[in-house]
């Protein structure tokens, strides 16, 4: 049953949607690409705009300095400050902390965008722009949620805190240390952590209960002291590129089986209960294939496909630095090449163990080649996976909120990608986390023509309003 208060709030949201779209347009216009140091002033401006928005609503807002970033050339630049905000401090109420980010992936019109990526463009109810879905609209939807309570002079049913950062897309530099530092102050009274940095799997709303981790490796093979002419030296030197491709080929079989000893053995077997959950999820293999433009997938049934996307590890080779990749022809033997590959990790896998397994394996494979070249393997990211208990009251509240707003049962899903901060929050605070997505399955995160549909943005705001109602009824710890 909807309360009158709730219906008033939904009506308020509907009548303010143009204003919400305009705010999103203002936010998308800021090129807060955290990977480009030249855009760092835009990242700082984005954090200031976020703080200003929350301040104007009467929140207790701080811009927390998290230090500097060291660049490869030894110079340092300031990291974007982290915005914290607080609305309400009633000790008798639950306190939730909403995490989000307002930095974005790189985007250029010439990458194949149909519209200017930094000018939010409404086409058939879809709002196209870089960062629209990942993660600016979800952050704004949470802010509009608090605003809707305030505008109608309805007491917030829970205390709401925000932690919003500006470096998520490049690894959240400085955030782990800040969370650790704030554990006994800003985070001390938080009961639950809410993250909406993910999306649905289909047209059916979803609750997300797990993400994979990520171990990212560089494998460097070094040979002659400089690049060589392949006509003059080809056939006389053992080429680093041949060595590198040879060892990369031993990581994974053509059918997708990981060949590194110990990796597959660490994975928890698929339980009957999990199999049943996957069976019930709404997912169409044919439309998935046509969306990504392939004629064949690794697996042809839904359960196997979803399981390998979410709860099994994968190896992906991303690129080779030092190789010739520009257009045209260049007859060169590269002196040093660096392969970049990653292993998406799942629960029961430990980054430190994976690092050792991969390093030992590649060294042993390389040794068998009896090459005079030198191999160096380094792990540059070791982000842990995260898994929640779907029977936790937070998920029951999520199901109830989805039912109230969308009148369907949500799918319970996992994410194949990595949201490392979830594990950090869990480890540091010991609090339970839910991922409550409002992004669409076809939003094109990190891709060309990223969008957030107006429907998901507006109904998603109503979902967050309903969710706060539901969380208010959970027993206070």
């Amino acid at each position: 049953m909807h309360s009158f208060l709730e219906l008033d709030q939904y009506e308020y949201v509907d009548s303010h949607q143009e204003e919400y779209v305009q705010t999103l347009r203002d936010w998308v216009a800021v090129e807060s690409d955290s990977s480009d140091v030249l855009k760092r002033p835009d990242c700082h401006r984005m954090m200031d705009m976020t703080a200003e928005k929350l301040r104007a609503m009467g929140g207790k807002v701080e811009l927390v300095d998290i230090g500097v970033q060291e660049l490869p050339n030894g110079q340092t630049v300031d990291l974007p400050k982290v915005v914290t905000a607080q609305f309400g401090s009633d000790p008798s109420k639950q306190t939730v902390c909403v995490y989000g980010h307002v930095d974005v992936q790189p985007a250029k019109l010439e990458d194949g965008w149909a519209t200017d990526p930094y000018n939010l463009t409404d086409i058939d109810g879809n709002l196209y722009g870089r960062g629209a879905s990942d993660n600016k609209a979800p952050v704004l939807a949470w802010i509009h949620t608090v605003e809707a309570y305030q505008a109608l002079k309805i007491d917030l049913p829970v205390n709401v805190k925000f932690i919003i950062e500006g470096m998520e897309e490049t690894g959240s530099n400085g955030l782990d240390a800040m969370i650790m530092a704030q554990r006994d102050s800003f985070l001390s009274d938080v009961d639950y952590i809410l993250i909406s940095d993910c999306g649905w799997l289909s047209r059916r709303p979803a609750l997300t209960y797990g993400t994979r981790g990520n171990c990212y490796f560089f494998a460097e093979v070094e040979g002659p002291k400089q690049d060589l002419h392949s006509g003059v030296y080809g056939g006389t030197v053992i080429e680093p590129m041949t060595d590198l491709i040879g060892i990369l080929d031993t990581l994974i079989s053509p059918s997708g089986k990981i060949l590194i000893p110990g990796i597959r053995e660490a994975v928890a077997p698929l339980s009957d209960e999990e199999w049943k959950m996957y069976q019930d999820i709404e997912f169409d293999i044919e439309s998935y294939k046509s969306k990504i433009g392939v004629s064949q997938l690794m697996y042809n049934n839904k359960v196997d496909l979803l399981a390998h996307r979410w709860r099994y590890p994968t190896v992906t080779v991303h690129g080779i630095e030092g190789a010739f990749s520009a257009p045209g022809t260049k007859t060169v033997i590269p002196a040093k090449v660096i392969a970049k590959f990653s292993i998406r990790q799942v629960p029961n896998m430990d980054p430190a163990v994976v690092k050792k397994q991969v390093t030992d394996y590649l060294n042993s494979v390389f040794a068998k080649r009896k090459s005079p070249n030198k191999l160096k393997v380094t792990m540059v990211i070791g982000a842990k996976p995260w898994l929640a208990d779907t029977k936790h009251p937070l998920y029951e509240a999520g199901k109830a909120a989805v039912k109230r707003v969308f009148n369907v049962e949500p799918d319970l899903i996992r994410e194949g990608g990595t949201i490392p901060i979830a594990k950090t929050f869990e480890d540091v605070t010991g609090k339970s986390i839910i991922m409550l997505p409002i992004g669409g399955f076809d939003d094109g995160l990190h891709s060309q023509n990223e969008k957030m549909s107006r429907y998901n943005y507006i109904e998603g705001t109503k979902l967050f309003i309903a969710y706060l109602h539901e969380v208010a009824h959970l027993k206070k710890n």
Side-chain angles (χ1 to χ4, degrees), residues 340-417:
K340 301 175 182 197
F341 67 92
S342 67
I343 299 179
R344 291 284 172 181
Q345 274 189 271
V346 295
N348 297 15
M349 289 170 70
D350 176 350
V353 174
V354 173
K355 177 184 176 181
K356 185 173 183 338
Q357 288 166 332
V358 170
T359 307
D360 290 353
Y361 176 64
L362 284 184
N363 279 319
S364 75
V365 169
F366 189 70
K368 289 185 188 135
R369 296 182 69 86
K370 299 193 168 22
S371 169
N373 297 324
K374 293 194 283 290
L375 169 69
K376 185 167 99 186
V377 181
T378 46
M379 186 172 86
V380 291
I381 295 172
K384 291 179 178 176
W386 164 79
L387 191 64
D389 173 10
T390 56
K391 295 185 175 63
H392 189 280
L394 268 190
Y395 282 82
E396 294 307 316
K399 288 179 194 173
V402 168
K403 199 93 169 66
R404 285 164 93 114
V405 176
F406 296 101
N407 206 24
V408 294
E409 290 290 336
D411 275 333
L412 289 167
I413 65 172
R414 284 159 79 157
E415 278 277 336

Side-chain angles (χ1 to χ4, degrees), residues 407-464:
N407 206 24
V408 294
E409 290 290 336
D411 275 333
L412 289 167
I413 65 172
R414 284 159 79 157
E415 278 277 336
T418 306
I419 304 178
I421 205 61
K423 191 68 183 145
T424 303
F425 274 125
E426 192 174 76
D427 290 347
V428 172
T429 67
K431 302 301 178 188
S432 295
I433 298 168
I434 185 171
M435 292 196 187
L436 195 61
I438 60 170
F441 71 99
D442 55 354
D443 280 357
L445 312 186
H446 295 203
S447 188
Q448 294 89 340
N449 305 316
E450 178 185 346
K451 60 91 180 159
M452 167 62 84
S453 78
R454 189 183 274 257
Y455 173 82
N456 282 53
Y457 185 25
I458 301 308
E459 298 307 305
T461 304
K462 295 176 192 173
L463 174 66
F464 293 164

Side-chain angles (χ1 to χ4, degrees), residues 94-97 142 158 190-195 206-209 386-402 410 412 426 429-437 463 466-475 477:
Q94 303 275 8
T95 299
V96 301
C97 179
W142 275 114
V158 296
V190 167
D191 296 295
Y192 306 116
I193 290 154
L194 319 179
I195 299 176
L207 305 176
T208 306
Y209 67 95
W386 164 79
L387 191 64
D389 173 10
T390 56
K391 295 185 175 63
H392 189 280
L394 268 190
Y395 282 82
E396 294 307 316
K399 288 179 194 173
V402 168
L412 289 167
E426 192 174 76
T429 67
K431 302 301 178 188
S432 295
I433 298 168
I434 185 171
M435 292 196 187
L436 195 61
L463 174 66
Y467 192 67
L468 294 188
H469 276 280
E470 294 295 339
V471 171
H473 295 125
L474 301 183
K475 284 195 180 74
N477 290 344

Side-chain angles (χ1 to χ4, degrees), residues 1-19:
M1 280 292 291
H2 295 297
S3 68
F4 287 120
L5 294 180
E6 238 179 304
L7 293 173
D8 286 350
Q9 288 170 300
Y10 297 167
E11 211 170 279
Y12 177 85
V13 169
D14 283 333
S15 65
H16 284 75
Q17 58 174 294
E18 291 315 319
E19 192 185 303

Side-chain angles (χ1 to χ4, degrees), residues 268-277 311-312:
L270 186 71
S271 67
D272 292 345
E273 189 186 1
E274 258 186 299
W275 187 90
K276 172 82 175 72
M277 274 170 73
R311 54 105 57 224
Y312 288 115

Side-chain angles (χ1 to χ4, degrees), residues 105-118:
Q105 283 279 321
K108 292 193 189 86
L109 186 58
E110 56 270 27
D111 294 340
W113 281 72
T115 58
D116 174 354
Y118 294 106

